[in-house]
Amino acid sequence: MDADRRRARRRTARGTALLGSAALLAGCASMPDTGDVSAVKTSRQGDSQVRVYPVPPRENAEPAEIVEGFLEAMTGDDPDFDTARKYLTKQAARTWKPEERTTVLSTAPVPQQGGPARQERAAPGSPQTLLYRLSGRKIATVDDRHAYQPLGSVTYSEFIRLVQQRSADGKQKEWRIDLLPQGLLLGESDFQRNYRSVNKYYFAAGKHWVVADPVYIRKRQDPVTGMDSLTQAVEALLEGPTNWLKPAVETRFPDGTELKEDTTVLATDDQNTLKVPLNDKANGVDREQCRKMAAQILFTVGDLASTRVRQVELQRSDGRSLCALREDRKSDFMADPTPGLRETPYFVDAQGRLARLLPGAKETVEPRRVRGPFGDGAVKVEAAAVSRDEEHAAVLAENGRTLRVAFLQSDSGLPEPLVTSRGARAADRLSAPSWDGRKDLWVADRDPAGPRLLLLPGGTGEPLTVTAPWLGEGVRVEELRLSEDGVRIAMRLTENGRTTLQIGRVERRTVGDRQKVAVVDLQSVAPRMESVASVSWAGPSRLVVLGKQAGGVQQVRYVQTDGSASAAVIPGLNQVKAVAAASDERAPLVAAADDGVVRLRSGVNWQPMVDKGTSPVYPG
């Protein structure tokens, strides 16, 4: 925190001290080393009133002051980083590109003088140079497409070079930076203060529903483009999907479509309509394509505008209306068009029967067994997954050896197994299954002699072996959860005794009359976690995770699918075994603990639902 204290002194000295600085430092949360799990306060997304106003270099500033002033100026909001450029030579100011990437360190970078640069064979009168090393622990980068990439915690070490040059009036020499790393360099707290996560939306390849693509934009005006946050989000959408998601999604915007030149502010009118002026590349699209373009924008700006966006209107380059789409048509472009607010999770009761947790009178909950063989005791259920339309359930039985699927709305007999594992131990057999929004059922066979990732189209018939080049050779799937859109899969993978959380991209193609499916390009979602014990989707690009960091205790927390931490705080809960969340973020969290099944609703603490029960799941 030494760098933070130096910054505070500089701001006070120049009359720019921030009343909110204490709140900012309080946002640097860490995992406790011992004791029970407890809630941790973090900075809220809405703390946008906390601002940093960097100051230009003073006359005769020492080299260390130049370096520290430049690092501070990178955390500010002044247009085009004008103040930061005043710490650079003219040549360096022209070539520095802060928008190229952002490097995030765990704390503010620490500059240390590295001694004078070598001046061997330098001509007489050559300017004196100094090197300063910038060091820290690098935890993430954000590229020029706004994509966040977590890195765990790796050593960061780069250099800044300073030279002495004549001042503007030519009367004295002054230190300036002439060589520096490209992009911005920020501590985690400064990054969280300046940036926010938003979801862009694209269409699943060949489908009519949208997929979330999380990126980071500036909370306030972007210093380089001058765009407000709403306009930044639309501009990022038009730029296309991030590189990781791109092979599995499509955009409906024609190539080259951009916002009309000089558009820096988008706002809703008195009818809550957001008008989006586009360049001439979009002028010739037909009405159906235009509606899909408008849907992408409507989903993207849904959580950004200070006023609710009830309609998006796209405009031609000459200002005429191209098409409009109302908010009530969003369901036309969702994988599950009628998700509602599902507050009825399922669980396995003490007798091994599948049951629902229905809301009772006031705060009570009424467990009700499902119809058919999974609720009447014909088979002892060990884990289950319920299809998103709640018509079918898939269950594991016989110590994970068999997977069966049955209707939930009829009293049919016990169906034959669709998948059988040959694993010798229960831990080497089938994982808990999961349904995607396409009504396909997924399960992993963990048999060391033949590990497989399987997909059952429509939840019936012959299992399809999914291509998974990363599977085997000591890597096993402990748990899998499919996203509602069917494009992404979250998995707990064990390798060398460590269980980590990975997200893979689902790619599908048809060869002749056969479907081929692959899960590729795994990305670490929680690299700073030592172990992960349970995971569930909790929205279009958010997961709820049960795990712990090195030296810490087990916690339930939210993480984004790009690996960044969510600002939402989950109260502590002891002895947790599994967590479950719904696609609708308003539905309560549910967890299995030593005290049975409990839930967490907005504004209250964890509440008991049933005294004895395991394996809570929402449809999916």
Side-chain angles (χ1 to χ4, degrees):
M1 293 293 181
D2 289 344
D4 293 318
R5 285 196 290 270
R6 287 194 298 269
R7 292 179 180 183
R9 287 197 297 270
R10 284 175 55 79
R11 294 171 194 165
T12 303
R14 300 305 294 262
T16 58
L18 299 175
L19 294 176
S21 61
L24 175 59
L25 294 179
C28 301
S30 61
M31 293 285 285
D33 292 331
T34 59
D36 292 336
V37 179
S38 59
V40 178
K41 294 182 179 179
T42 60
S43 297
R44 295 169 297 173
Q45 289 276 7
D47 287 343
S48 58
Q49 72 273 19
V50 179
R51 306 290 292 271
V52 170
Y53 298 95
V55 295
R58 65 178 181 85
E59 287 187 26
N60 300 316
E62 294 295 323
E65 191 176 343
I66 293 296
V67 174
E68 290 176 8
F70 175 68
L71 294 176
E72 162 116 7
M74 279 197 289
T75 72
D77 298 295
D78 57 324
D80 201 27
F81 294 98
D82 181 64
T83 301
R85 295 182 193 276
K86 289 184 166 107
Y87 289 87
L88 310 179
T89 63
K90 290 183 178 179
Q91 175 63 22
R94 284 194 297 267
T95 58
W96 180 51
K97 297 178 180 179
E99 71 277 11
E100 186 170 295
R101 63 177 172 269
T102 299
T103 300
V104 185
L105 306 185
S106 58
T107 60
V110 178
Q112 294 178 321
Q113 185 177 343
R118 297 177 65 180
Q119 295 279 343
E120 296 178 4
R121 300 180 183 177
S126 296
Q128 183 180 356
T129 64
L130 289 174
L131 288 180
Y132 275 78
R133 184 167 69 92
L134 304 178
S135 61
R137 302 298 299 177
K138 183 164 64 170
I139 61 174
T141 59
V142 179
D143 64 22
D144 59 353
R145 302 298 292 270
H146 316 285
Y148 185 96
Q149 177 63 54
L151 300 171
S153 181
V154 298
T155 300
Y156 177 85
S157 181
E158 293 286 351
F159 284 90
I160 281 181
R161 188 175 71 189
L162 288 83
V163 300
Q164 274 193 318
Q165 63 177 23
R166 288 289 180 184
S167 59
D169 58 15
K171 296 180 180 180
Q172 57 188 3
K173 290 185 177 181
E174 56 188 8
W175 290 99
R176 290 295 182 266
I177 297 168
D178 81 324
L179 188 65
L180 70 161
Q182 282 292 358
L184 295 179
L185 181 63
L186 302 176
E188 187 174 21
S189 61
D190 283 320
F191 176 75
Q192 291 171 349
R193 176 175 53 80
N194 280 309
Y195 290 83
R196 65 166 298 176
S197 178
V198 301
N199 288 324
K200 307 187 295 179
Y201 285 86
Y202 300 93
F203 283 89
K207 301 298 179 181
H208 66 273
W209 59 76
V210 293
V211 180
D213 187 16
V215 293
Y216 272 85
I217 61 172
R218 301 285 293 205
K219 285 184 178 179
R220 298 172 290 272
Q221 186 182 66
D222 182 86
V224 176
T225 64
M227 294 179 177
D228 64 8
S229 59
L230 194 63
T231 313
Q232 290 176 59
V234 174
E235 179 74 6
L237 171 68
L238 297 178
E239 289 174 356
T242 56
N243 293 332
W244 184 84
L245 189 61
K246 188 174 182 179
V249 296
E250 301 167 344
T251 183
R252 296 297 185 259
F253 289 92
D255 290 343
T257 302
E258 297 177 351
L259 289 171
K260 191 174 180 180
E261 191 175 0
D262 298 328
T263 300
T264 58
V265 176
L266 295 175
T268 54
D269 61 18
D270 55 2
Q271 301 297 315
N272 293 333
T273 294
L274 182 69
K275 297 182 178 180
V276 182
L278 301 174
N279 65 5
D280 58 5
K281 298 293 184 180
N283 283 355
V285 300
D286 60 34
R287 180 173 179 77
E288 184 57 28
Q289 182 178 356
C290 185
R291 289 181 73 250
K292 292 178 179 178
M293 293 158 55
Q296 289 182 248
I297 293 179
L298 191 58
F299 277 94
T300 298
V301 303
D303 297 326
L304 275 173
S306 56
T307 302
R308 184 175 179 178
V309 177
R310 298 189 180 277
Q311 181 173 259
V312 164
E313 179 185 322
L314 302 185
Q315 296 179 330
R316 293 181 172 88
S317 57
D318 61 6
R320 290 182 299 143
S321 178
L322 193 60
C323 73
L325 186 70
R326 300 192 313 273
E327 183 189 36
D328 59 9
R329 305 308 304 177
K330 287 174 70 173
S331 60
D332 295 349
F333 308 98
M334 298 170 65
D336 183 356
T338 56
L341 178 58
R342 293 192 174 119
E343 294 192 42
T344 56
Y346 294 74
F347 77 107
V348 178
D349 69 15
Q351 288 73 44
R353 299 171 300 193
L354 184 61
R356 298 179 68 186
L357 291 167
L358 298 170
K362 296 183 179 180
E363 299 296 316
T364 63
V365 177
E366 177 189 353
R368 182 179 298 174
R369 286 178 289 149
V370 302
R371 296 179 63 182
F374 302 153
D376 64 14
V379 65
K380 187 175 181 180
V381 176
E382 294 155 7
V386 177
S387 63
R388 295 178 188 273
D389 58 12
E390 300 188 68
E391 292 184 357
H392 295 82
V395 306
L396 296 188
E398 300 175 70
N399 291 321
R401 187 180 299 278
T402 59
L403 174 74
R404 290 178 166 89
V405 176
F407 283 104
L408 289 178
Q409 311 301 327
S410 67
D411 295 317
S412 58
L414 182 66
E416 291 296 317
L418 294 178
V419 179
T420 301
S421 174
R422 296 180 180 179
R425 303 179 306 144
D428 293 333
R429 295 170 185 164
L430 301 177
S431 71
S434 178
W435 299 81
D436 64 25
R438 303 166 185 249
K439 298 185 179 181
D440 292 340
L441 180 63
W442 293 67
V443 69
D445 185 353
R446 300 174 292 183
D447 182 1
R452 301 176 294 166
L453 185 60
L454 303 173
L455 180 152
L456 287 76
T460 61
E462 188 70 21
L464 171 69
T465 299
V466 176
T467 300
W470 42 267
L471 187 60
E473 297 184 3
V475 178
R476 55 182 283 147
V477 179
E478 303 296 345
E479 183 181 17
L480 55 83
R481 290 288 183 266
L482 270 295
S483 63
E484 185 177 49
D485 50 63
V487 169
R488 297 157 295 165
I489 180 173
M491 297 176 290
R492 291 194 301 116
L493 300 183
T494 295
E495 183 177 13
N496 298 324
R498 182 177 177 228
T499 302
T500 61
L501 181 60
Q502 306 281 329
I503 189 166
R505 188 177 64 249
V506 180
E507 295 185 354
R508 306 172 190 246
R509 59 191 180 95
T510 301
V511 179
D513 59 349
R514 295 179 60 84
Q515 180 183 195
K516 292 188 176 294
V517 183
V519 172
V520 297
D521 206 0
L522 300 191
Q523 300 267 334
S524 178
V525 178
R528 287 192 279 177
M529 277 193 169
E530 182 180 64
S531 63
V532 178
S534 180
V535 63
S536 177
W537 286 88
S541 67
R542 189 175 70 164
L543 303 166
V544 61
V545 177
L546 172 64
K548 67 176 182 177
Q549 288 181 309
V553 296
Q554 201 169 60
Q555 283 188 332
V556 181
R557 59 182 296 187
Y558 288 115
V559 297
Q560 300 296 115
T561 53
D562 60 10
S564 60
S566 171
V569 175
I570 300 176
L573 180 65
N574 293 324
Q575 305 302 319
V576 191
K577 299 175 181 177
V579 292
S583 299
D584 192 316
E585 296 182 7
R586 297 169 296 170
L589 287 182
V590 179
D594 282 352
D595 296 331
V597 179
V598 296
R599 68 180 174 189
L600 178 67
R601 296 191 296 179
S602 178
V604 298
N605 211 326
W606 291 98
Q607 299 172 322
M609 300 180 80
V610 291
D611 293 336
K612 295 183 180 180
T614 61
S615 306
V617 292
Y618 276 94

